[in-house]
């Protein structure tokens, strides 16, 4: 029962489709809307309610003296109902719907950040599943089909410091000579209960819940340390390719990008680093991103566009953003055969990239036939199981020393 429970609840609210609302009513009216919502939140409970705007259209409310999850849900439903009432914005009648994520807890057993974080996760889950309100309990979380995803989200924070993550390195071959020119650092996570979780499964979650920042910084540091080591011990030209999430780009401050500071601090020349970005960074359409990329490039870092051909980026855009390397997605490479459509596509990408001064890496090269076709097309680099699977640091170093 809920008797004797004397805790708090933190509720996070997010307005459905706020971007689209602003597009339709205009940014100024959108601001007015946010002010109205904030005022309503403040007035829902006349006393003992604390409210803050924590994102563009994202509010956090603390409900003290909560008697338990059911009571918290009732109070949040009341707020949702009130915020959903028709409102007048500059003569237009607007009805909002919102999502809520609520963490019930006790400030004596859990840190404020912990509770806030659970509210954040619950809100993310509500938005993802389309549920109006999701309640997160401190110890037991109701089993749902999305339980694993939820657990992943909870466990991602601190995974690097708990020593659960490690990097593996996959060789990138200079096709003309067959030598290993670079390696791509790829992240692996082994959790005591969740088992081994692949990056395809957890990177997206880490981006959603914000854990990507600590994880991405850790990756940059560890990959840079390994590059420093290899360059010092017999491979002075070795370069390291590091994946960087668009979410991290967005968070970079306007002065020096954090990863650049990391490389400098570790004594790794920026010229020996390739950052792999996805086209999300380019298509974000923000001038800030272009400037950030330009700053990284000015410092000597090379930029590679990952998974090219899977989305909407065109080579013309790559040129505008001064990308150095295009990585042809392995879907195209997989289908390569003499005289077929994939060969024509690869030929087109390679020749256009070259005419714009970019290099090309083919991903997912699994057969000698694919390699020979790529060499014939003048592709610069190859990566894939034919040349080597991703392996841990020691095995990769042994491979490099063995002549690769
Ligand atoms: P990606 O950057 O495109 O990495 C290449 C993926 O292709 C890797 O999968 C690699 O193991 C796989 N691969 C390489 N050669 C072959 C091949 O010949 N055949 C096949 N079938 N697959 C091949 P992985 O390691 O599972 O990583 C998946 C994705 O997760 C990566 O795709 C990247 O987008 C992301 N990722 C991995 N590590 C990091 C990281 O440290 N930070 C960020 N932000 N993303 C990462
Ligand atoms: Mg990559
Ligand atoms: Mg890729």
């Amino acid at each position: 029962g809920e008797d004797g429970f004397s805790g708090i609840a933190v509720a996070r609210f997010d307005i459905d489709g706020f971007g689209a609302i602003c597009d339709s009513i205009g940014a100024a009216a959108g601001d007015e809307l946010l002010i109205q919502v904030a005022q309503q939140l403040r007035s829902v409970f006349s006393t003992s309610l604390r409210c803050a705007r924590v994102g563009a259209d994202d509010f956090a409310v603390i409900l003290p003296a909560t008697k338990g999850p059911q009571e918290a849900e009732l109070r949040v439903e009341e707020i949702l109902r009130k915020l959903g009432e028709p409102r007048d914005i500059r003569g237009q009648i607007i009805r909002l719907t919102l999502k809520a994520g609520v963490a019930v807890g006790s400030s004596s057993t859990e840190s404020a950040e912990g509770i806030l974080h659970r509210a954040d996760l619950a809100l993310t889950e509500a938005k993802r599943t389309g549920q109006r309100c999701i309640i997160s309990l401190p110890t037991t979380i109701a089993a749902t089909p999305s339980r694993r995803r939820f657990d992943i989200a909870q466990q991602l924070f601190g995974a690097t410091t708990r020593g659960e993550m490690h990097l593996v390195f996959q060789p990138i071959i200079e096709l003309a000579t067959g030598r290993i020119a670079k390696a791509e650092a790829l992240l692996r996570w082994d959790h005591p209960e969740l088992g081994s979780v692949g990056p395809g499964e957890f990177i997206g979650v880490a981006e959603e819940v914000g854990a990507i920042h600590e994880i991405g910084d850790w990756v940059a540091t560890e990959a840079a340390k390994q590059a420093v080591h290899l360059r010092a011990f017999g491979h002075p030209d070795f370069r390291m390719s590091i994946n960087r999430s668009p979410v991290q780009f967005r968070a970079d401050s306007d002065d020096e990008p954090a990863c650049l500071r990391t490389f400098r601090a570790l004594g790794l020349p920026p010229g020996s680093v390739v950052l792999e970005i996805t086209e999300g960074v380019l298509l974000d359409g923000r001038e800030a991103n272009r400037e950030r990329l330009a700053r990284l490039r000015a410092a000597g870092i090379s930029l590679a566009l990952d998974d090219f051909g899977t989305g909407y980026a065109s080579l013309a855009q790559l040129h505008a953003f001064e990308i150095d390397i295009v990585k042809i997605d392995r879907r195209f490479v997989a289908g390569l055969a003499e005289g077929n459509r994939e060969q024509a596509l690869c030929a087109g990408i390679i020749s256009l990239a070259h005419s714009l001064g970019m290099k090309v890496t083919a991903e997912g090269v699994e057969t000698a036939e694919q390699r020979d076709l790529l060499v014939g097309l003048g592709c610069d680099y190859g990566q894939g199981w034919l040349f080597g699977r991703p392996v841990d640091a020691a095995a990769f170093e042994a491979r490099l020393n063995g002549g690769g």
Side-chain angles (χ1 to χ4, degrees):
E2 298 191 4
D3 289 345
F5 182 98
S6 125
I8 61 166
V10 173
R12 296 272 307 261
F13 297 90
D14 187 89
I15 301 172
D16 289 342
F18 183 65
I21 294 173
C22 285
D23 288 345
S24 132
I25 67 176
D31 287 344
E32 208 168 297
L33 178 63
L34 288 175
I35 292 167
Q36 268 195 16
V37 168
Q39 282 168 347
Q40 279 177 304
L41 278 174
R42 258 193 234 125
S43 66
V44 173
F45 300 102
S46 51
T47 57
S48 61
L49 176 117
R50 262 147 276 175
C51 162
R53 181 170 167 217
V54 291
D57 58 330
D58 186 350
F59 297 87
V61 169
I62 300 173
L63 307 166
T66 296
K67 293 190 190 69
Q70 275 129 40
E71 196 227 24
E73 186 161 18
L74 284 176
R75 287 162 80 179
V76 169
E77 280 297 338
E78 186 190 336
I79 297 174
L80 285 172
R81 193 177 39 71
K82 177 137 186 187
L83 294 175
E85 283 168 10
R87 62 184 70 240
D88 185 344
I89 301 282
R90 302 189 171 186
Q92 293 191 72
I93 304 301
I94 291 173
R95 247 178 221 279
L96 296 181
T97 58
L98 295 96
K99 298 278 180 288
V102 186
V104 179
S106 158
S107 51
S108 59
T109 56
E110 198 178 1
S111 70
E113 297 87 71
I115 299 176
L116 255 172
H117 175 56
R118 284 195 295 108
D120 193 358
L121 291 180
L123 177 60
T124 302
E125 190 67 356
K127 286 199 279 190
R128 198 181 67 79
T129 59
Q131 290 176 76
R132 188 171 147 92
C133 177
I134 286 189
I135 309 275
S136 157
L137 304 178
T139 46
T140 53
I141 300 143
T144 67
S146 52
R147 172 69 194 260
R148 180 173 165 85
R149 193 186 163 88
F150 200 97
D151 287 344
I152 287 173
Q154 305 258 357
Q155 292 302 315
L156 274 169
F157 287 90
T160 57
T161 45
R162 292 192 302 269
E164 294 165 3
M165 292 200 175
H166 72 279
L167 292 179
V168 289
F169 301 90
Q170 185 175 33
I172 299 174
I173 307 296
E174 188 177 64
L175 289 173
T177 61
R179 81 180 177 97
I180 299 177
K182 302 177 261 198
E184 178 173 5
L186 294 161
L187 191 53
R188 297 291 177 263
W189 182 23
D190 297 295
H191 184 271
E193 272 115 48
L194 299 171
S196 139
V197 191
E201 192 174 3
F202 71 76
I203 292 287
V205 182
E207 289 173 337
E208 262 178 48
V209 302
I212 193 68
H213 300 289
E214 64 178 59
I215 293 170
D217 290 346
W218 182 87
V219 168
T221 304
E222 294 304 306
K225 280 184 191 163
Q226 186 61 15
V228 167
H229 172 80
L230 293 170
R231 288 169 64 86
F233 289 88
H235 309 284
D237 298 329
F238 178 79
R239 302 174 80 199
M240 187 65 83
S241 206
I242 301 170
N243 293 286
R244 195 157 172 87
S245 155
V247 174
Q248 280 198 279
F249 270 98
R250 251 170 261 147
D252 259 335
S253 70
D254 283 332
D255 41 283
E256 192 174 51
C259 61
L260 199 51
R261 275 200 300 278
T262 304
F263 303 144
R264 291 223 169 94
L266 293 168
L268 182 64
S272 56
V273 177
V274 180
L275 285 185
E276 298 196 3
I277 60 174
T278 51
E279 58 184 30
V281 180
L282 312 184
L283 300 177
D284 214 1
R286 280 177 229 184
E287 193 55 28
N289 278 353
R290 185 202 297 267
E291 280 161 24
R292 276 168 201 153
L293 293 174
R295 252 196 312 272
L296 289 167
R297 242 180 139 245
I301 288 178
S302 296
L303 300 175
L305 189 81
D306 216 344
D307 309 332
F308 184 75
T310 54
Y312 300 98
S314 70
L315 282 167
Q317 268 168 317
L318 306 194
H319 187 54
F321 277 90
E322 303 194 82
I323 297 291
D324 302 276
I325 302 157
V326 179
K327 296 191 80 172
I328 303 181
D329 190 73
R330 72 176 135 89
R331 259 176 270 182
F332 295 102
V333 176
L336 261 184
E338 185 65 53
N340 76 352
R341 188 172 157 271
E342 281 82 356
Q343 190 194 22
L345 273 168
C346 288
I349 295 172
I350 292 166
S351 73
L352 197 48
H354 283 171
S355 71
L356 293 170
M358 300 180 246
K359 301 270 193 221
V360 180
T361 301
E363 299 188 286
V365 182
E366 292 181 0
T367 68
E369 189 201 356
Q370 291 164 353
R371 178 200 52 207
D372 294 343
L373 288 169
L374 289 161
V375 169
L377 297 174
C379 187
D380 304 279
Y381 301 99
Q383 177 181 357
W385 295 345
L386 176 70
F387 307 113
R389 303 221 176 197
V391 291
D392 68 25
F396 182 76
E397 184 170 10
R399 165 90 192 266
L400 260 190
N401 290 336

